[in-house]
């Protein structure tokens, strides 16, 4: 789960990680009030969306007076902000963060992520902050320092020194950086984060180190432990079909292509997406209805796939294990009848009660195309959407 910058900065405050003073605003008037309460100029007005690159896209504006705040807020609120992370369709801006403008001497980069290869937590830092870190990583990887933390032993003083020296921090700033990195690491672990990123972390002309941007992603599997975080979920920032799917505990991810696919089991779903691509088509989604899905879940999954306007053909690929083929068939027939389905559906089904499942589909009177095997299924559905 992602949260907004202003929410991430609240968590930073809780962990005593320095951030600029500021507050969230939902209207131009609120933005003016927040700015007036900061007691100094300039202030910065920032679009709050779940994507980075806002600065380049025109979603971050400096203001030196109340008029300028109103102008900036009015311009950003309601705009469709397009950045390299939003895709060409952009994101509608509904809220702003209005904060103190800082005197930036240098923009640095700092992040914490789990590293699967080493099974450690890696802290990355770079003097080349503020800009596209992916670009830095690709062109000059030597500019990124990585410090690997054994999760059992935790963060040690030498990690902090390695990072502070690597960032070439002046002594006064390095002194403040040490507790900051400790608190950031604690936040990362205590909140089960999958990413904490500060880009830029700024060194001010007063030699303070402050988190100017804040990005936090939390592990969905651990959210049950963090009720306070659940309240921060912003459904406006999520794909409506994915929100709908999450209500039914379906693992659904919306994708660009036009072949809708319904599969049981995440591994089989990945393999199905691969074979769809191999057949020359593009999947419209990832959908794992789960091993123990009920007819009702299958029906909901089917309905969600069908409400995606891009879908021109559907591939149902089920290996009947715990989810028996007859249960699946009933769910499909139910959903197809209720939705008055228009798009062709190719079914590949194997496993428990497959004969019964095939009989239900055959007798349903629906126009379903059966496939001999997975390869045949992918070929047929690719043919349909071409
Ligand atoms: P994004 O990463 O989405 O572009 P940032 O929060 O990193 O958004 O802001 C982009 C740039 O705007 C920063 O690199 C910094 O130069 C400037 N900026 C952002 N907030 C402030 C602030 N409070 N004071 C001064 N400059 C800021
Ligand atoms: Mg940034």
């Amino acid at each position: 789960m992602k949260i907004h910058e202003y929410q991430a900065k609240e968590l930073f405050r809780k962990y005593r990680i320095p951030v600029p003073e500021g507050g969230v605003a939902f209207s131009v008037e609120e933005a003016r009030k927040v700015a007036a309460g900061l007691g100094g100029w300039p202030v910065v007005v920032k679009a709050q969306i779940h994507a980075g690159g806002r600065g380049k896209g025109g979603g971050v504006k400096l203001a030196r007076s109340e008029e300028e705040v109103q102008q900036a807020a009015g311009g950003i609120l309601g705009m469709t902000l397009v950045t390299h992370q939003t895709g060409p369709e952009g994101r509608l801006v509904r809220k702003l963060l209005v904060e103190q403008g800082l005197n930036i001497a240098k923009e640095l980069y700092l992040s914490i992520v789990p590293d699967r290869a080493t099974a450690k937590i890696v802290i990355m830092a770079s003097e080349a902050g503020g800009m596209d870190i992916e670009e830095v990583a690709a062109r000059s990887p030597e500019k990124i320092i990585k410090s690997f933390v054994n999760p059992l032993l935790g963060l040690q003083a030498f990690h902090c020194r390695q990072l502070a020296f690597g960032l070439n921090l002046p002594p006064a700033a390095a002194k403040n950086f040490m507790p900051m990195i400790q608190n950031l690491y604690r936040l990362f672990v205590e909140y089960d984060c999958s990413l904490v990123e500060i880009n830029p972390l700024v060194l001010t002309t007063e030699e303070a180190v402050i988190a100017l941007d804040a990005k936090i992603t939390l592990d969905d599997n651990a959210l049950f432990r963090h009720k306070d975080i659940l309240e921060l979920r912003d459904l406006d920032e999520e794909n409506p079909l994915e929100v709908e799917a999450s209500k039914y505990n379906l693992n659904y991810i919306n994708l660009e292509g036009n072949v809708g696919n319904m599969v049981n089991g995440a591994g089989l779903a990945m393999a199905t997406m691969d074979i769809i691509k191999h057949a020359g088509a593009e999947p419209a989604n990832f959908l794992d209805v789960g091993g123990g899905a009920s007819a009702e879940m299958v029906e909901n999954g089917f309905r969600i796939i069908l409400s995606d306007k891009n879908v021109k053909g559907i591939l149902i690929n089920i290996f009947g294990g715990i989810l028996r083929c007859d249960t699946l068939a009933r769910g499909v027939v139910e959903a197809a009848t209720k939705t008055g389905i228009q798009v062709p559906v190719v079914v590949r089904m194997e496993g428990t009660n497959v004969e019964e499942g095939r009989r239900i589909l055959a007798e349903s009177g629906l126009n379903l195309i059966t496939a001999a095997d997975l390869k045949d299924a992918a070929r047929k559905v690719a043919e349909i959407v071409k």
Side-chain angles (χ1 to χ4, degrees):
M1 180 180 140
K2 288 181 181 171
I3 59 175
H4 284 292
E5 177 193 6
Y6 75 91
Q7 298 166 328
K9 281 181 170 167
E10 276 307 315
L11 281 182
F12 280 10
R13 280 195 189 95
K14 185 173 159 187
Y15 280 80
R16 279 184 272 126
I17 296 153
V19 291
E21 260 183 71
V24 67
F26 296 85
S27 66
V28 174
E29 178 50 22
E30 276 177 29
R32 191 194 59 76
K33 271 192 199 150
V34 175
L38 293 175
W41 305 98
V43 302
V44 179
V45 180
K46 308 175 79 174
Q48 296 296 287
I49 56 169
H50 283 185
R54 296 162 300 165
K56 280 188 199 153
V60 178
K61 293 247 152 63
L62 201 71
R64 294 173 195 286
S65 64
E66 282 200 16
E67 292 72 51
E68 284 186 23
V69 168
Q70 284 166 319
Q71 225 168 38
I76 298 174
L77 268 180
M79 86 186 278
T80 301
L81 184 53
V82 180
T83 79
H84 65 279
Q85 288 186 7
T86 61
E89 71 279 10
R91 208 59 80 68
L92 179 67
V93 182
R94 299 162 205 260
K95 38 184 103 71
L96 303 169
L97 171 62
V98 180
E99 67 181 15
Q100 194 188 2
L102 298 181
N103 300 319
I104 303 173
K106 197 166 161 188
E107 300 200 345
L108 313 167
Y109 175 90
L110 185 66
S111 70
I112 311 184
V113 286
D115 182 55
R116 287 190 170 81
T118 56
K120 287 184 175 162
I121 293 171
V122 58
I123 306 177
M124 289 185 274
S126 177
E127 278 189 88
M131 52 179 125
D132 232 341
I133 196 68
E134 289 83 2
E135 185 99 357
V136 179
R139 293 191 181 199
S140 29
E142 74 286 351
K143 286 191 183 157
I144 300 177
I145 319 149
K146 293 182 180 176
S147 195
F148 293 87
V149 183
N150 182 323
L152 289 178
L153 302 176
L155 186 75
Q156 307 292 323
F158 77 88
H159 294 119
C160 303
R161 280 195 296 272
Q162 186 191 359
L163 293 162
F165 293 147
L167 285 173
N168 268 321
L169 292 175
K175 206 173 148 212
N176 295 329
F177 179 78
M178 300 291 182
M180 171 181 178
I181 192 81
Q182 275 157 355
N183 290 335
L184 199 67
Y185 181 83
R186 208 157 52 78
L187 187 162
F188 180 87
V189 173
E190 288 178 359
Y191 270 95
D192 298 299
C193 298
S194 47
L195 167 80
V196 173
E197 186 182 56
I198 305 177
N199 189 23
L201 171 74
V202 299
L203 179 64
T204 65
T205 47
E206 300 83 20
E207 296 206 340
V209 191
I210 299 177
L212 208 64
D213 196 359
K215 189 168 172 183
I216 295 182
T217 310
L218 300 113
D219 182 349
D220 290 348
N221 296 309
L223 282 178
F224 72 96
R225 297 206 279 220
H226 309 291
K227 301 277 186 287
D228 55 332
I229 294 292
L230 281 178
E231 286 166 20
L232 305 184
R233 187 168 173 197
D234 185 349
L235 295 180
D236 286 339
E237 292 291 323
E238 296 180 26
N239 181 296
L241 290 177
E242 291 178 12
V243 173
E244 184 68 12
S246 68
K247 289 183 197 158
Y248 306 109
N249 283 324
L250 294 165
N251 294 314
Y252 172 91
I253 293 162
N254 192 254
L255 301 167
E256 247 77 280
N258 57 8
V259 178
N261 63 102
M262 178 153 81
V263 189
N264 64 330
L268 190 59
M270 298 300 281
T272 306
M273 286 164 54
D274 281 347
I275 204 156
I276 288 171
K277 275 180 167 278
H278 191 67
E282 291 291 327
N285 65 277
F286 167 94
L287 171 60
D288 164 21
V289 291
S294 61
E296 194 192 350
M297 274 178 89
V298 172
E299 188 190 325
N300 285 324
F302 210 60
R303 198 166 42 72
I304 287 161
I305 293 178
L306 282 171
S307 47
D308 179 350
K309 298 283 164 287
N310 293 330
V311 170
K312 298 285 178 284
I314 295 177
L315 171 56
I316 299 179
N317 181 21
I318 300 286
F319 188 81
I322 303 169
L323 168 62
R324 300 178 333 227
C325 294
D326 55 322
T327 304
L328 166 88
R330 264 183 225 108
V332 170
V333 172
E334 186 80 359
T337 316
K338 275 191 195 159
T339 49
I341 174 178
Q342 300 293 334
V343 297
V345 179
V346 178
V347 186
R348 180 262 178 172
M349 209 162 58
E350 286 299 340
T352 314
N353 293 1
V354 67
E355 294 309 328
E356 176 69 359
R358 290 203 177 125
R359 193 186 58 75
I360 292 169
L361 293 180
E363 289 174 4
S364 68
L366 295 166
N367 182 19
L368 302 170
I369 303 149
T370 46
D373 54 30
L374 188 46
K375 202 167 163 190
D376 183 42
R379 207 176 44 225
K380 280 180 172 153
V381 80
E383 200 55 46
I384 289 164
V385 299
K386 244 169 217 163

